[in-house]
Amino acid sequence: MSMLKVEDLCIKVHDRKTTDTLVQDVDFEMNKGDIMGIVGESGSGKTMTALAIAGLLSRHDMEKSGHIIFEGINLLDIKRNVLRKIQGNEISMVFQEPLNSLNPLKKVGWQVEESLRIHTSMDKNEMRDRAIEALRDVELQNPEAVYESYPHELSGGMRQRAMIAAAMIIQPKLLICDEPTTALDVTIQAQIVELLKRINRERQTAILFISHDLSLVNTLCERVIVMQHGLVKESGLCDDIFNNPQDEYTKKLIAAIPKSPFGI
Amino acid sequence: MKYVIKKLLTTLITLFAVSALVFFSFSVIPGNPAVSRLGTEATPEKIEKLTHEMGLDRPLPERYGEWVLNILHGDFGKSYSYNQKVTSLLSEKIGTTLILSVIAIILTVAVAFPLGIYTARKSDSKLDVVLTSLNQLIMAIPSFFSGILITLLFGFVFKLFTPGAYVSYKVNFLRCVGYLFFPALAIALPKISMVVKLLKDTALKEANKDYVVTAYSRGNATRAVFYKHVLKNAMIPVITFLGMTFADIIAGSIIVEQVFSVPGLGRILLTSISGRDYPMVQAIILLLSVFVVISNLAVDFMYRAFDKRIRV
Ligand SMILES: Nc1ncnc2c1ncn2[C@@H]1O[C@H](COP(=O)(O)OP(=O)(O)O)[C@@H](O)[C@H]1O
Ligand SMILES: [Mg+2]
């Protein structure tokens, strides 16, 4: 049995008169230690898919159907309090904008520890030790100082590392990263991707990596799903799709990648 | 620490500017205090003599310098109309107005925060619709009018206090507070509804921010998301608003004192203005400004303790 199995996932939003389908018939599976990419242009439904898996789409005007089976439990029909035990514990998420995703008024350390505070009964010192360890593990210099700082005092790259530390602190089985590098400089982007690779290798954490950048997905992931207008256009091994795209949209995406001096 | 010193320094400069403004503006408005004092007996010679005695023929900057120096020694001069020291005339009234303002401030905070939090948490319940409409109504009623309604309702119908029977805090502090509660309520009511609305609006706005999604993604319950994340952020505009409101409450007490026959600074300010009693008027305005400036300073410090991003 796979760790995560998404079947026929549909997300609809009801307006007063109309119903919009944001995501339609998304299917995929992930196992422990897998690293999977979702690519597609902006508005293709990547974020909606990610939020649904993380249990963060609970708006009244949104209707989800299909199955999101995580470790044998369908996340779409469990109670909120059961879901909360999985959120931040077994499934964690890293978002696109590290600054906005951090609470501006709380110290970074407090936010990194939050999952421990919610899901464990550790005392303050234990949590602090673990948080500093987690901050060191995402290659932040001087983790003690980062622990005591406020989000506005860090650079964009440092914030995103802190967000990854917060997501990883409790060793989740699945880490969902929704365009984690889009808001960052190119050099920092590469570093974050390397960091995610290392985490995946060392911890066997499954990573669902979402990006609009196909070449970035190709450097990180084994498998990829190509989405457009809420539909899965193509899915399979990165190498296959890159070298031999079947779908017109995938071909366009590949053609749009600027040629790097090393070739792709 | 540097920040504190800087703030205190700007506060001092502000107070100096206010003192100059107060002094010079009352010196240029038309009307000669000597004439007001002499009334119908005024002959040109008498006016000239009194003007000289009162020192009003001396150059303005000189008089200003003297006035400020005396104030620094705790001497606000003598009232023209009562012929007594301004400080002894005002000391009790300052206490009265301060007590009134402080009760109004405490009432505002003590009622508005729980109510604001409640309406923000239950923003789609039926009770919220009722509360919101009621709130709009209260916000629109000026203090002097709600003062009249409160006098009628609590004074004459429920007989919770006897309108007009103010007891000085020097005689009986508790009874004084018991009386001042009602004018304070009149002052606080519109402020409460504004703070409730602001707190609710900002909390709902904060609830849509990205860090709230992060908080949910870690397994927080809705209640924890609100109290641990949203509330503190929503408080920032509220604190700013409270700073302005405190100033407003102090100024607003002047009018409400009339409605409830409270012998505070308000009443004596009005009589002093009509009597061209400049030492009194200047002293009262200066004192009110000091209250306002100090309350703003307190809010600044509070704000700073709250939001570490503020660097002034
Ligand atoms: N809150 C919302 N209400 C209604 N529609 C939305 C909302 N957020 C996004 N959408 C729509 O859902 C579709 C998919 O959005 P999203 O998943 O954010 O795309 P992506 O992450 O791939 O850029 C888009 O067409 C977008 O307009
Ligand atoms: Mg997106």
Side-chain angles (χ1 to χ4, degrees):
Chain A
M1 189 184 68
S2 48
M3 184 188 76
L4 175 71
K5 188 166 184 184
V6 178
E7 285 177 329
D8 305 327
L9 177 66
C10 287
I11 302 168
K12 292 181 177 148
V13 58
H14 300 288
D15 212 341
R16 229 171 255 139
K17 286 169 241 135
T18 58
T19 298
D20 258 337
T21 304
L22 307 183
V23 169
Q24 200 174 355
D25 296 330
V26 169
D27 281 288
F28 66 91
E29 279 184 48
M30 283 178 80
N31 284 309
K32 183 176 162 71
D34 275 1
I35 185 154
M36 161 102 103
I38 301 182
V39 284
E41 65 200 359
S42 163
S44 54
K46 307 182 297 290
T47 296
M48 288 296 146
T49 305
L51 292 176
I53 296 168
L56 296 171
L57 272 190
S58 56
R59 286 174 27 180
H60 302 299
D61 58 342
M62 284 207 183
E63 182 196 322
K64 295 152 289 179
S65 60
H67 305 272
I68 297 175
I69 313 222
F70 179 77
E71 308 251 274
I73 305 168
N74 184 2
L75 300 184
L76 287 184
D77 57 33
I78 52 173
K79 290 229 172 68
R80 275 290 296 277
N81 57 338
V82 181
L83 181 63
R84 281 205 299 272
K85 298 217 163 62
I86 296 171
Q87 289 175 318
N89 193 4
E90 302 193 24
I91 301 178
S92 289
M93 195 157 168
V94 173
F95 300 88
Q96 178 167 348
E97 293 279 348
L99 181 58
N100 299 343
S101 303
L102 285 157
N103 184 333
L105 299 185
K106 298 281 190 180
K107 283 186 181 171
V108 171
W110 188 93
Q111 304 191 52
V112 170
E113 289 167 356
E114 190 163 30
S115 292
L116 294 179
R117 202 174 305 116
I118 296 168
H119 300 287
T120 72
S121 50
M122 283 185 199
D123 67 30
K124 264 201 165 112
N125 290 329
E126 275 177 283
M127 286 198 294
R128 193 191 137 90
D129 291 346
R130 285 282 294 270
I132 286 175
E133 197 188 304
L135 288 169
R136 187 172 290 124
D137 198 52
V138 294
E139 294 152 28
L140 279 164
Q141 312 286 316
N142 205 348
E144 288 85 2
V146 173
Y147 182 92
E148 293 296 336
S149 55
Y150 286 88
H152 70 273
E153 294 167 334
L154 305 181
S155 70
M158 289 166 88
R159 285 178 201 135
Q160 197 61 297
R161 284 175 194 275
M163 285 299 285
I164 294 171
M168 286 304 300
I169 194 163
I170 210 165
Q171 312 276 357
K173 292 178 177 139
L174 174 63
L175 177 66
I176 303 172
C177 301
D178 186 7
E179 310 232 16
T181 61
T182 305
L184 305 174
D185 295 344
V186 182
T187 46
I188 315 266
Q189 260 189 25
Q191 292 170 12
I192 298 278
V193 167
E194 279 311 310
L195 174 64
L196 291 174
K197 248 185 201 167
R198 205 198 80 215
I199 287 173
N200 171 258
R201 200 173 53 233
E202 290 177 0
R203 304 276 166 80
Q204 290 296 299
T205 311
I207 297 180
L208 182 58
F209 183 86
I210 294 172
S211 178
H212 63 273
D213 183 344
L214 194 53
S215 60
L216 204 61
V217 168
N218 194 38
T219 61
L220 180 66
C221 308
E222 301 151 46
R223 287 185 299 140
V224 63
I225 295 172
V226 182
M227 283 183 77
Q228 188 194 21
H229 305 316
L231 291 165
V232 175
K233 288 290 179 177
E234 193 164 1
S235 67
L237 290 172
C238 267
D239 286 343
D240 292 349
I241 287 185
F242 241 87
N243 297 324
N244 188 15
Q246 301 298 310
D247 187 82
E248 280 309 310
Y249 178 66
T250 317
K251 286 177 188 165
K252 258 195 257 165
L253 277 183
I254 292 172
I257 298 171
K259 287 275 176 286
S260 87
F262 314 109
I264 298 175
Chain B
M1 205 50 221
K2 221 169 136 192
Y3 168 83
V4 175
I5 293 168
K6 216 168 159 181
K7 261 297 176 208
L8 289 176
L9 220 71
T10 43
T11 304
L12 268 181
I13 294 169
T14 312
L15 284 178
F16 258 103
V18 168
S19 77
L21 209 65
V22 167
F23 188 87
F24 290 110
S25 57
F26 281 102
S27 309
V28 292
I29 58 169
N32 182 342
V35 179
S36 327
R37 236 169 113 178
L38 288 168
T40 45
E41 298 168 43
T43 63
E45 298 80 51
K46 275 191 176 170
I47 290 173
E48 200 178 320
K49 188 162 166 268
L50 189 61
T51 305
H52 182 71
E53 272 171 22
M54 292 164 79
L56 293 174
D57 51 354
R58 282 161 44 213
L60 265 182
E62 188 186 319
R63 278 159 54 203
Y64 172 68
E66 191 184 56
W67 182 65
V68 170
L69 272 180
N70 286 339
I71 289 175
L72 290 178
H73 289 103
D75 178 10
F76 282 83
K78 253 183 174 179
S79 154
Y80 293 160
S81 31
Y82 298 94
N83 218 356
Q84 276 182 49
K85 277 195 160 281
V86 169
T87 40
S88 58
L89 281 168
L90 292 187
S91 66
E92 191 176 338
K93 297 182 168 38
I94 293 168
T96 309
T97 296
L98 262 184
I99 293 172
L100 178 59
S101 305
V102 169
I103 299 174
I105 288 168
I106 292 174
L107 254 176
T108 305
V109 173
V111 178
F113 280 13
L115 214 58
I117 289 170
Y118 181 83
T119 52
R121 297 264 287 127
K122 310 271 172 195
S123 63
D124 39 15
S125 68
K126 285 213 179 75
L127 184 60
D128 176 62
V129 178
V130 178
L131 278 176
T132 305
S133 332
L134 189 68
N135 214 18
Q136 299 283 19
L137 184 74
I138 292 173
M139 211 181 299
I141 300 176
S143 289
F144 77 88
F145 189 67
S146 57
I148 293 169
L149 293 181
I150 286 170
T151 307
L152 279 175
L153 198 66
F154 296 116
F156 293 115
V157 179
F158 294 125
K159 302 207 187 308
L160 292 178
F161 74 110
T162 319
Y166 170 77
V167 184
S168 165
Y169 64 94
K170 288 191 167 158
V171 178
N172 186 332
F173 185 77
L174 277 184
R175 281 187 61 195
C176 171
V177 170
Y179 187 88
L180 289 180
F181 176 84
F182 296 95
L185 185 63
I187 299 170
L189 271 179
K191 307 298 176 203
I192 290 171
S193 46
M194 286 177 208
V195 173
V196 167
K197 181 173 160 48
L198 185 67
L199 188 55
K200 180 186 163 190
D201 290 353
T202 52
L204 291 183
K205 213 163 78 199
E206 286 297 322
N208 281 319
K209 293 209 170 152
D210 289 352
Y211 68 83
V212 172
V213 182
T214 309
Y216 277 114
S217 80
R218 292 184 186 144
N220 274 300
T222 311
R223 191 185 164 78
V225 170
F226 184 82
Y227 284 107
K228 292 190 176 162
H229 290 274
V230 171
L231 186 58
K232 202 174 175 191
N233 281 282
M235 286 293 284
I236 288 175
V238 176
I239 290 176
T240 317
F241 180 77
L242 277 180
M244 296 186 281
T245 306
F246 290 169
D248 222 34
I249 282 177
I250 292 162
S253 63
I254 289 176
I255 294 161
V256 172
E257 278 173 8
Q258 301 298 305
V259 178
F260 286 86
S261 322
V262 173
L265 288 178
R267 174 114 46 100
I268 201 159
L269 175 65
L270 295 185
T271 45
S272 301
I273 289 174
S274 51
R276 301 258 179 268
D277 194 343
Y278 290 165
M280 288 288 278
V281 176
Q282 286 163 347
I284 295 169
I285 304 274
L286 193 62
L287 280 170
L288 290 176
S289 324
V290 170
F291 293 164
V292 170
V293 169
I294 287 176
S295 71
N296 276 340
L297 191 67
V299 168
D300 267 355
F301 285 141
M302 205 155 87
Y303 199 84
R304 165 124 170 144
F306 231 77
D307 188 348
K308 298 294 187 293
R309 283 169 301 180
I310 313 291
R311 292 263 178 275
V312 186

